[in-house]
PDB file of all heavy atoms in Angstrom:
ATOM      1  N   LYS A  91      25.823  -8.258  32.129  1.00 85.00           N
ATOM      2  CA  LYS A  91      27.016  -7.593  32.163  1.00 85.00           C
ATOM      3  C   LYS A  91      27.862  -7.607  30.893  1.00 85.00           C
ATOM      4  O   LYS A  91      28.723  -6.701  30.649  1.00 85.00           O
ATOM      5  CB  LYS A  91      27.968  -8.344  33.269  1.00 85.00           C
ATOM      6  CG  LYS A  91      27.449  -8.241  34.688  1.00 85.00           C
ATOM      7  CD  LYS A  91      28.409  -8.941  35.681  1.00 85.00           C
ATOM      8  CE  LYS A  91      27.848  -8.711  37.140  1.00 85.00           C
ATOM      9  NZ  LYS A  91      28.810  -9.439  38.024  1.00 85.00           N
ATOM     10  N   PHE A  92      27.556  -8.486  30.065  1.00 90.00           N
ATOM     11  CA  PHE A  92      28.378  -8.630  28.858  1.00 90.00           C
ATOM     12  C   PHE A  92      27.731  -7.839  27.722  1.00 90.00           C
ATOM     13  O   PHE A  92      27.058  -8.313  26.768  1.00 90.00           O
ATOM     14  CB  PHE A  92      28.401 -10.165  28.258  1.00 90.00           C
ATOM     15  CG  PHE A  92      28.989 -11.067  29.421  1.00 90.00           C
ATOM     16  CD1 PHE A  92      28.057 -11.882  30.012  1.00 90.00           C
ATOM     17  CD2 PHE A  92      30.279 -11.082  29.710  1.00 90.00           C
ATOM     18  CE1 PHE A  92      28.471 -12.776  31.076  1.00 90.00           C
ATOM     19  CE2 PHE A  92      30.878 -11.912  30.777  1.00 90.00           C
ATOM     20  CZ  PHE A  92      29.941 -12.694  31.349  1.00 90.00           C
ATOM     21  N   LYS A  93      27.695  -6.501  28.005  1.00 92.00           N
ATOM     22  CA  LYS A  93      26.890  -5.576  27.094  1.00 92.00           C
ATOM     23  C   LYS A  93      27.493  -5.564  25.673  1.00 92.00           C
ATOM     24  O   LYS A  93      26.768  -5.458  24.738  1.00 92.00           O
ATOM     25  CB  LYS A  93      26.944  -4.192  27.713  1.00 92.00           C
ATOM     26  CG  LYS A  93      26.225  -4.060  29.106  1.00 92.00           C
ATOM     27  CD  LYS A  93      26.192  -2.712  29.592  1.00 92.00           C
ATOM     28  CE  LYS A  93      25.543  -2.673  31.046  1.00 92.00           C
ATOM     29  NZ  LYS A  93      24.130  -3.192  31.017  1.00 92.00           N
ATOM     30  N   LYS A  94      28.924  -5.519  25.580  1.00 93.00           N
ATOM     31  CA  LYS A  94      29.517  -5.349  24.228  1.00 93.00           C
ATOM     32  C   LYS A  94      29.156  -6.591  23.419  1.00 93.00           C
ATOM     33  O   LYS A  94      28.872  -6.557  22.227  1.00 93.00           O
ATOM     34  CB  LYS A  94      31.017  -5.239  24.387  1.00 93.00           C
ATOM     35  CG  LYS A  94      31.389  -3.752  24.825  1.00 93.00           C
ATOM     36  CD  LYS A  94      32.854  -3.650  24.674  1.00 93.00           C
ATOM     37  CE  LYS A  94      33.264  -2.153  25.032  1.00 93.00           C
ATOM     38  NZ  LYS A  94      34.798  -1.911  25.026  1.00 93.00           N
ATOM     39  N   LEU A  95      29.257  -7.790  24.061  1.00 95.00           N
ATOM     40  CA  LEU A  95      28.889  -9.073  23.310  1.00 95.00           C
ATOM     41  C   LEU A  95      27.487  -9.038  22.872  1.00 95.00           C
ATOM     42  O   LEU A  95      27.083  -9.481  21.771  1.00 95.00           O
ATOM     43  CB  LEU A  95      29.221 -10.198  24.282  1.00 95.00           C
ATOM     44  CG  LEU A  95      28.881 -11.627  23.729  1.00 95.00           C
ATOM     45  CD1 LEU A  95      29.674 -11.914  22.443  1.00 95.00           C
ATOM     46  CD2 LEU A  95      28.973 -12.688  24.776  1.00 95.00           C
ATOM     47  N   MET A  96      26.584  -8.614  23.780  1.00 95.00           N
ATOM     48  CA  MET A  96      25.127  -8.631  23.337  1.00 95.00           C
ATOM     49  C   MET A  96      24.838  -7.589  22.270  1.00 95.00           C
ATOM     50  O   MET A  96      24.069  -7.793  21.422  1.00 95.00           O
ATOM     51  CB  MET A  96      24.239  -8.217  24.622  1.00 95.00           C
ATOM     52  CG  MET A  96      24.252  -9.223  25.713  1.00 95.00           C
ATOM     53  SD  MET A  96      23.568 -10.775  25.099  1.00 95.00           S
ATOM     54  CE  MET A  96      25.018 -11.753  24.919  1.00 95.00           C
ATOM     55  N   LEU A  97      25.578  -6.360  22.283  1.00 95.00           N
ATOM     56  CA  LEU A  97      25.510  -5.403  21.290  1.00 95.00           C
ATOM     57  C   LEU A  97      25.944  -6.072  19.893  1.00 95.00           C
ATOM     58  O   LEU A  97      25.288  -5.991  18.910  1.00 95.00           O
ATOM     59  CB  LEU A  97      26.292  -4.180  21.597  1.00 95.00           C
ATOM     60  CG  LEU A  97      26.280  -3.140  20.489  1.00 95.00           C
ATOM     61  CD1 LEU A  97      24.899  -2.483  20.280  1.00 95.00           C
ATOM     62  CD2 LEU A  97      27.292  -2.014  20.875  1.00 95.00           C
ATOM     63  N   PHE A  98      27.154  -6.681  20.005  1.00 95.00           N
ATOM     64  CA  PHE A  98      27.542  -7.342  18.805  1.00 95.00           C
ATOM     65  C   PHE A  98      26.760  -8.310  18.245  1.00 95.00           C
ATOM     66  O   PHE A  98      26.511  -8.320  16.997  1.00 95.00           O
ATOM     67  CB  PHE A  98      29.018  -7.997  19.131  1.00 95.00           C
ATOM     68  CG  PHE A  98      29.630  -8.749  17.940  1.00 95.00           C
ATOM     69  CD1 PHE A  98      30.207  -8.183  16.939  1.00 95.00           C
ATOM     70  CD2 PHE A  98      29.499 -10.176  18.003  1.00 95.00           C
ATOM     71  CE1 PHE A  98      30.726  -8.878  15.826  1.00 95.00           C
ATOM     72  CE2 PHE A  98      29.897 -10.843  16.825  1.00 95.00           C
ATOM     73  CZ  PHE A  98      30.526 -10.289  15.786  1.00 95.00           C
ATOM     74  N   LEU A  99      26.119  -9.171  19.071  1.00 96.00           N
ATOM     75  CA  LEU A  99      25.267 -10.240  18.568  1.00 96.00           C
ATOM     76  C   LEU A  99      23.991  -9.673  18.053  1.00 96.00           C
ATOM     77  O   LEU A  99      23.496 -10.103  16.937  1.00 96.00           O
ATOM     78  CB  LEU A  99      24.884 -11.282  19.677  1.00 96.00           C
ATOM     79  CG  LEU A  99      26.017 -12.093  20.283  1.00 96.00           C
ATOM     80  CD1 LEU A  99      25.661 -12.935  21.404  1.00 96.00           C
ATOM     81  CD2 LEU A  99      26.702 -13.050  19.048  1.00 96.00           C
ATOM     82  N   THR A 100      23.454  -8.617  18.603  1.00 96.00           N
ATOM     83  CA  THR A 100      22.290  -8.001  18.096  1.00 96.00           C
ATOM     84  C   THR A 100      22.458  -7.248  16.744  1.00 96.00           C
ATOM     85  O   THR A 100      21.691  -7.420  15.840  1.00 96.00           O
ATOM     86  CB  THR A 100      21.660  -7.051  19.143  1.00 96.00           C
ATOM     87  OG1 THR A 100      21.509  -7.618  20.388  1.00 96.00           O
ATOM     88  CG2 THR A 100      20.287  -6.476  18.663  1.00 96.00           C
ATOM     89  N   MET A 101      23.657  -6.608  16.690  1.00 95.00           N
ATOM     90  CA  MET A 101      23.974  -5.918  15.347  1.00 95.00           C
ATOM     91  C   MET A 101      24.224  -6.925  14.345  1.00 95.00           C
ATOM     92  O   MET A 101      23.835  -6.787  13.121  1.00 95.00           O
ATOM     93  CB  MET A 101      25.234  -5.109  15.575  1.00 95.00           C
ATOM     94  CG  MET A 101      25.133  -3.889  16.509  1.00 95.00           C
ATOM     95  SD  MET A 101      23.807  -2.708  15.773  1.00 95.00           S
ATOM     96  CE  MET A 101      22.482  -3.038  16.923  1.00 95.00           C
ATOM     97  N   ALA A 102      24.910  -8.040  14.632  1.00 96.00           N
ATOM     98  CA  ALA A 102      25.114  -9.099  13.702  1.00 96.00           C
ATOM     99  C   ALA A 102      23.836  -9.728  13.144  1.00 96.00           C
ATOM    100  O   ALA A 102      23.706  -9.981  11.951  1.00 96.00           O
ATOM    101  CB  ALA A 102      26.031 -10.209  14.276  1.00 96.00           C
ATOM    102  N   ALA A 103      22.922  -9.914  13.996  1.00 96.00           N
ATOM    103  CA  ALA A 103      21.542 -10.403  13.659  1.00 96.00           C
ATOM    104  C   ALA A 103      20.832  -9.539  12.673  1.00 96.00           C
ATOM    105  O   ALA A 103      20.299 -10.002  11.615  1.00 96.00           O
ATOM    106  CB  ALA A 103      20.711 -10.693  14.788  1.00 96.00           C
ATOM    107  N   ASN A 104      20.842  -8.188  13.045  1.00 95.00           N
ATOM    108  CA  ASN A 104      20.281  -7.127  12.186  1.00 95.00           C
ATOM    109  C   ASN A 104      20.930  -7.106  10.761  1.00 95.00           C
ATOM    110  O   ASN A 104      20.166  -7.156   9.739  1.00 95.00           O
ATOM    111  CB  ASN A 104      20.355  -5.854  12.855  1.00 95.00           C
ATOM    112  CG  ASN A 104      19.156  -5.553  13.791  1.00 95.00           C
ATOM    113  OD1 ASN A 104      18.017  -5.463  13.408  1.00 95.00           O
ATOM    114  ND2 ASN A 104      19.590  -5.424  14.974  1.00 95.00           N
ATOM    115  N   LEU A 105      22.281  -7.104  10.821  1.00 94.00           N
ATOM    116  CA  LEU A 105      22.994  -6.996   9.527  1.00 94.00           C
ATOM    117  C   LEU A 105      22.906  -8.243   8.754  1.00 94.00           C
ATOM    118  O   LEU A 105      22.930  -8.205   7.534  1.00 94.00           O
ATOM    119  CB  LEU A 105      24.439  -6.600   9.826  1.00 94.00           C
ATOM    120  CG  LEU A 105      24.596  -5.100  10.327  1.00 94.00           C
ATOM    121  CD1 LEU A 105      26.125  -4.958  10.710  1.00 94.00           C
ATOM    122  CD2 LEU A 105      24.161  -4.090   9.380  1.00 94.00           C
ATOM    123  N   GLY A 106      22.844  -9.345   9.409  1.00 94.00           N
ATOM    124  CA  GLY A 106      22.608 -10.618   8.719  1.00 94.00           C
ATOM    125  C   GLY A 106      21.440 -10.675   7.943  1.00 94.00           C
ATOM    126  O   GLY A 106      21.414 -11.156   6.821  1.00 94.00           O
ATOM    127  N   VAL A 107      20.261 -10.334   8.518  1.00 93.00           N
ATOM    128  CA  VAL A 107      19.054 -10.345   7.943  1.00 93.00           C
ATOM    129  C   VAL A 107      19.108  -9.256   6.705  1.00 93.00           C
ATOM    130  O   VAL A 107      18.587  -9.664   5.572  1.00 93.00           O
ATOM    131  CB  VAL A 107      17.901  -9.858   8.822  1.00 93.00           C
ATOM    132  CG1 VAL A 107      16.622  -9.688   8.085  1.00 93.00           C
ATOM    133  CG2 VAL A 107      17.791 -10.914  10.030  1.00 93.00           C
ATOM    134  N   LEU A 108      19.689  -8.154   6.920  1.00 93.00           N
ATOM    135  CA  LEU A 108      19.749  -7.106   5.863  1.00 93.00           C
ATOM    136  C   LEU A 108      20.614  -7.620   4.725  1.00 93.00           C
ATOM    137  O   LEU A 108      20.243  -7.517   3.581  1.00 93.00           O
ATOM    138  CB  LEU A 108      20.329  -5.844   6.426  1.00 93.00           C
ATOM    139  CG  LEU A 108      20.354  -4.533   5.485  1.00 93.00           C
ATOM    140  CD1 LEU A 108      18.970  -4.306   5.012  1.00 93.00           C
ATOM    141  CD2 LEU A 108      21.091  -3.391   6.135  1.00 93.00           C
ATOM    142  N   PHE A 109      21.675  -8.286   5.087  1.00 92.00           N
ATOM    143  CA  PHE A 109      22.592  -8.725   3.965  1.00 92.00           C
ATOM    144  C   PHE A 109      21.830  -9.827   3.236  1.00 92.00           C
ATOM    145  O   PHE A 109      21.995  -9.827   1.943  1.00 92.00           O
ATOM    146  CB  PHE A 109      23.907  -9.353   4.651  1.00 92.00           C
ATOM    147  CG  PHE A 109      24.778 -10.049   3.696  1.00 92.00           C
ATOM    148  CD1 PHE A 109      25.557  -9.370   2.800  1.00 92.00           C
ATOM    149  CD2 PHE A 109      24.692 -11.514   3.476  1.00 92.00           C
ATOM    150  CE1 PHE A 109      26.371  -9.986   2.003  1.00 92.00           C
ATOM    151  CE2 PHE A 109      25.437 -12.064   2.537  1.00 92.00           C
ATOM    152  CZ  PHE A 109      26.305 -11.305   1.625  1.00 92.00           C
ATOM    153  N   TYR A 110      21.268 -10.738   3.788  1.00 90.00           N
ATOM    154  CA  TYR A 110      20.643 -11.900   3.095  1.00 90.00           C
ATOM    155  C   TYR A 110      19.590 -11.403   2.056  1.00 90.00           C
ATOM    156  O   TYR A 110      19.473 -11.772   0.904  1.00 90.00           O
ATOM    157  CB  TYR A 110      19.963 -12.807   4.102  1.00 90.00           C
ATOM    158  CG  TYR A 110      19.250 -14.008   3.294  1.00 90.00           C
ATOM    159  CD1 TYR A 110      19.918 -14.965   2.653  1.00 90.00           C
ATOM    160  CD2 TYR A 110      17.847 -14.028   3.282  1.00 90.00           C
ATOM    161  CE1 TYR A 110      19.259 -15.988   1.876  1.00 90.00           C
ATOM    162  CE2 TYR A 110      17.135 -14.970   2.606  1.00 90.00           C
ATOM    163  CZ  TYR A 110      17.955 -15.970   1.861  1.00 90.00           C
ATOM    164  OH  TYR A 110      17.229 -16.944   1.282  1.00 90.00           O
ATOM    165  N   PHE A 111      18.671 -10.566   2.619  1.00 90.00           N
ATOM    166  CA  PHE A 111      17.554 -10.099   1.644  1.00 90.00           C
ATOM    167  C   PHE A 111      18.029  -9.004   0.745  1.00 90.00           C
ATOM    168  O   PHE A 111      17.341  -8.862  -0.347  1.00 90.00           O
ATOM    169  CB  PHE A 111      16.476  -9.614   2.602  1.00 90.00           C
ATOM    170  CG  PHE A 111      15.663 -10.734   3.226  1.00 90.00           C
ATOM    171  CD1 PHE A 111      15.863 -11.054   4.495  1.00 90.00           C
ATOM    172  CD2 PHE A 111      14.746 -11.413   2.461  1.00 90.00           C
ATOM    173  CE1 PHE A 111      15.175 -12.077   5.088  1.00 90.00           C
ATOM    174  CE2 PHE A 111      14.077 -12.510   3.031  1.00 90.00           C
ATOM    175  CZ  PHE A 111      14.248 -12.879   4.377  1.00 90.00           C
ATOM    176  N   LYS A 112      19.081  -8.217   1.012  1.00 89.00           N
ATOM    177  CA  LYS A 112      19.341  -7.095   0.147  1.00 89.00           C
ATOM    178  C   LYS A 112      20.626  -7.345  -0.695  1.00 89.00           C
ATOM    179  O   LYS A 112      20.701  -6.817  -1.786  1.00 89.00           O
ATOM    180  CB  LYS A 112      19.511  -5.793   1.013  1.00 89.00           C
ATOM    181  CG  LYS A 112      19.587  -4.604   0.142  1.00 89.00           C
ATOM    182  CD  LYS A 112      19.434  -3.351   1.032  1.00 89.00           C
ATOM    183  CE  LYS A 112      19.439  -2.100   0.152  1.00 89.00           C
ATOM    184  NZ  LYS A 112      19.173  -0.855   0.821  1.00 89.00           N
ATOM    185  N   TYR A 113      21.578  -8.063  -0.172  1.00 89.00           N
ATOM    186  CA  TYR A 113      22.907  -8.163  -0.805  1.00 89.00           C
ATOM    187  C   TYR A 113      23.254  -9.568  -1.276  1.00 89.00           C
ATOM    188  O   TYR A 113      24.336  -9.727  -1.899  1.00 89.00           O
ATOM    189  CB  TYR A 113      24.042  -7.532   0.110  1.00 89.00           C
ATOM    190  CG  TYR A 113      23.696  -6.094   0.475  1.00 89.00           C
ATOM    191  CD1 TYR A 113      23.165  -5.782   1.688  1.00 89.00           C
ATOM    192  CD2 TYR A 113      23.740  -5.097  -0.393  1.00 89.00           C
ATOM    193  CE1 TYR A 113      22.975  -4.557   2.108  1.00 89.00           C
ATOM    194  CE2 TYR A 113      23.507  -3.794  -0.081  1.00 89.00           C
ATOM    195  CZ  TYR A 113      22.954  -3.490   1.208  1.00 89.00           C
ATOM    196  OH  TYR A 113      22.753  -2.219   1.639  1.00 89.00           O
ATOM    197  N   PHE A 114      22.529 -10.590  -0.893  1.00 87.00           N
ATOM    198  CA  PHE A 114      22.913 -11.973  -1.175  1.00 87.00           C
ATOM    199  C   PHE A 114      23.040 -12.199  -2.713  1.00 87.00           C
ATOM    200  O   PHE A 114      24.080 -12.731  -3.122  1.00 87.00           O
ATOM    201  CB  PHE A 114      21.912 -13.000  -0.546  1.00 87.00           C
ATOM    202  CG  PHE A 114      22.382 -14.366  -0.827  1.00 87.00           C
ATOM    203  CD1 PHE A 114      23.333 -14.977  -0.165  1.00 87.00           C
ATOM    204  CD2 PHE A 114      21.662 -15.207  -1.856  1.00 87.00           C
ATOM    205  CE1 PHE A 114      23.591 -16.339  -0.311  1.00 87.00           C
ATOM    206  CE2 PHE A 114      21.955 -16.442  -2.036  1.00 87.00           C
ATOM    207  CZ  PHE A 114      22.974 -17.065  -1.300  1.00 87.00           C
TER     208      PHE A 114
END
Side-chain angles (χ1 to χ4, degrees):
K91 293 182 178 180
F92 308 106
K93 298 182 184 299
K94 285 187 178 180
L95 177 61
M96 291 300 103
L97 176 65
F98 173 79
L99 293 174
T100 308
M101 293 298 102
N104 275 295
L105 293 173
V107 172
L108 184 61
F109 173 83
Y110 176 73
F111 284 101
K112 190 166 184 176
Y113 303 106
F114 179 78

